[in-house]
Amino acid sequence: MLPLGFTVVLRFAWIAATLPILLASLPIRPLGFLHRMLIGFAARGKIMKNSTSRFTLPQKYFLHFYLVALGLTTFLAFSIWFYAYEKMLPLASESFGYETTASYLTGGAHIFSFNKAPLVNFELKHQVWRTVFVLLLMDFQVLRRAYETVYVFNYSPLARMHFFGYLAGLFFYTVAPISLGISCAPEALTYARDQILELILKGKEQMPNIQIDWVLVFKPFIYLEWQQWIGAVIFFWGWLHQHYCHTILGSLRRNRRADEYVIPHGDWFAYVSCPHYLAEIIIYLGILVASGGSDITIWLLFLFVVSNLAFAAAETHRWYHEKFDDYPKDRRAFIPFIY
């Protein structure tokens, strides 16, 4: 497990990042400055297009977020995967149903039972493989976002984002993978470090050959629990719709002048102004479900995503209504028929 102090700091970091967004959405006059500052973050190039502020960066720098997240998520995923393969096999899921029934009959599943070590060990193995699974989902997300930034979107040279918004993006895409791997990353990284040190000290000739059984590399994923597969279905539902919506936005950008905005149509744009934000919330809901929902740090990650995108969607929806007189009146900000 991570040192308690680091875990607490990580949780407070999510709280500190979320609270300003929640407070700025309140109709309180003293928070006007904070509200205006966060509008700049949420604008994503629209109302900052002609900004003369020195604290802006090109909107295409979004790519930096996804490259950082891709590198860190992939590193954590494969480090923990290697650790799981070496230390957390066999998963023994095939016989889990019989073990659980027998355990209940003999008292092994009772909280005061003296015969519950195998179940604890089994849960630990599942936790590690579940973490690998969740990190792989995150990898799918940031890899697609990096691809879209380069090949789908056509960012105008005038489109800018606030410098602090850029830092906030780097913060999110650095801390998010750490939050998803928080339960077992220290053990996995320590194991990898020890293997590297042993290789350096003994030399390659004295190290035992690592035989990789590719069936065992992937087989444990088959025996994950129902939460992981329901979470994956939710994840890919949002994942596909976000790609469709980004493709629509990207096509509009390719077919317009640099200073022209067009009302998007198609897919979930029929219901909301920011379906790509709605899809992202669904994506992280899927990750939360796939994680098992037992780690408060991942809940705080999800809360940050919801509060940030809800605020950004509300501001974007307001901007659309100010920009277009003929904007569809029945569209909501990002939750169909509700908000």
Side-chain angles (χ1 to χ4, degrees):
M1 298 295 292
L2 281 176
L4 179 60
F6 184 85
T7 304
V8 171
V9 168
L10 185 58
R11 290 172 181 174
F12 270 107
W14 281 126
I15 294 172
T18 303
L19 277 179
I21 303 172
L22 294 175
L23 291 174
S25 64
L26 299 175
I28 303 175
R29 191 173 298 276
L31 296 175
F33 171 76
L34 180 59
H35 187 272
R36 290 192 300 272
M37 182 179 68
L38 288 173
I39 287 176
F41 296 169
R44 299 179 181 269
K46 293 185 177 65
I47 58 180
M48 293 176 60
K49 182 168 66 74
N50 298 318
S51 174
T52 59
S53 172
R54 292 175 296 176
F55 300 104
T56 63
L57 295 168
Q59 198 178 16
K60 64 182 179 180
Y61 282 12
F62 278 138
L63 178 63
H64 299 174
F65 306 158
Y66 311 129
L67 293 180
V68 168
L70 183 61
L72 183 55
T73 306
T74 302
F75 171 73
L76 288 174
F78 281 94
S79 296
I80 299 173
W81 202 342
F82 176 69
Y83 172 69
Y85 176 78
E86 289 291 310
K87 294 294 185 180
M88 298 296 168
L89 288 175
L91 196 58
S93 292
E94 299 91 333
S95 59
F96 178 60
Y98 301 102
E99 290 176 1
T100 302
T101 304
S103 180
Y104 273 106
L105 292 175
T106 60
H110 194 274
I111 190 171
F112 296 112
S113 171
F114 295 100
N115 187 34
K116 61 180 180 180
L119 281 180
V120 173
N121 187 48
F122 176 81
E123 289 299 324
L124 177 62
K125 291 180 179 181
H126 258 266
Q127 181 183 23
V128 174
W129 283 102
R130 183 168 62 235
T131 300
V132 176
F133 186 76
V134 168
L135 285 169
L136 290 177
L137 293 181
M138 185 70 177
D139 248 340
F140 273 109
Q141 170 66 358
V142 295
L143 180 61
R144 198 206 77 238
R145 294 300 299 271
Y147 167 82
E148 290 171 347
T149 303
V150 177
Y151 295 106
V152 175
F153 291 119
N154 181 28
Y155 290 112
S156 166
L158 300 177
R160 313 286 292 179
M161 62 175 164
H162 200 284
F163 175 71
F164 291 111
Y166 176 77
L167 293 181
L170 288 178
F171 164 81
F172 175 82
Y173 282 105
T174 300
V175 180
I178 296 174
S179 299
L180 296 177
I182 194 173
S183 61
C184 50
E187 293 88 344
L189 295 178
T190 299
Y191 179 77
R193 181 202 63 189
D194 292 343
Q195 294 298 305
I196 294 172
L197 290 176
E198 187 176 1
L199 176 63
I200 295 174
L201 293 175
K202 291 185 177 181
K204 183 178 180 181
E205 294 76 13
Q206 299 184 34
M207 291 289 290
N209 292 328
I210 299 177
Q211 301 293 332
I212 298 179
D213 186 331
W214 293 104
V215 173
L216 290 180
V217 167
F218 294 99
K219 186 177 179 180
F221 295 119
I222 300 174
Y223 298 106
L224 292 176
E225 298 171 337
W226 62 268
Q227 295 100 318
Q228 282 71 66
W229 295 112
I230 290 179
V233 170
I234 296 172
F235 172 89
F236 282 108
W237 180 47
W239 191 90
L240 289 171
H241 276 286
Q242 188 175 61
H243 179 64
Y244 295 153
C245 294
H246 283 169
T247 301
I248 292 169
L249 290 173
S251 66
L252 293 179
R253 288 171 178 172
R254 284 191 295 270
N255 297 328
R256 73 185 185 204
R257 299 189 301 273
D259 59 347
E260 181 185 11
Y261 284 99
V262 180
I263 299 175
H265 294 277
D267 201 65
W268 288 352
F269 279 106
Y271 308 102
V272 293
S273 297
C274 300
H276 46 311
Y277 295 168
L278 171 61
E280 184 140 349
I281 290 174
I282 292 173
I283 286 168
Y284 283 94
L285 175 62
I287 289 176
L288 175 63
V289 174
S291 74
S294 60
D295 194 326
I296 190 175
T297 306
I298 301 180
W299 277 98
L300 291 172
L301 164 65
F302 178 68
L303 177 61
F304 175 84
V305 171
V306 172
S307 59
N308 179 48
L309 294 182
F311 181 85
E315 294 302 325
T316 301
H317 186 65
R318 180 186 59 81
W319 180 89
Y320 272 128
H321 278 280
E322 291 178 354
K323 183 74 176 178
F324 302 101
D325 294 332
D326 59 341
Y327 193 73
K329 303 298 182 183
D330 55 345
R331 284 192 192 180
R332 295 295 184 262
F334 81 115
I335 301 179
F337 315 112
I338 299 174
Y339 175 76

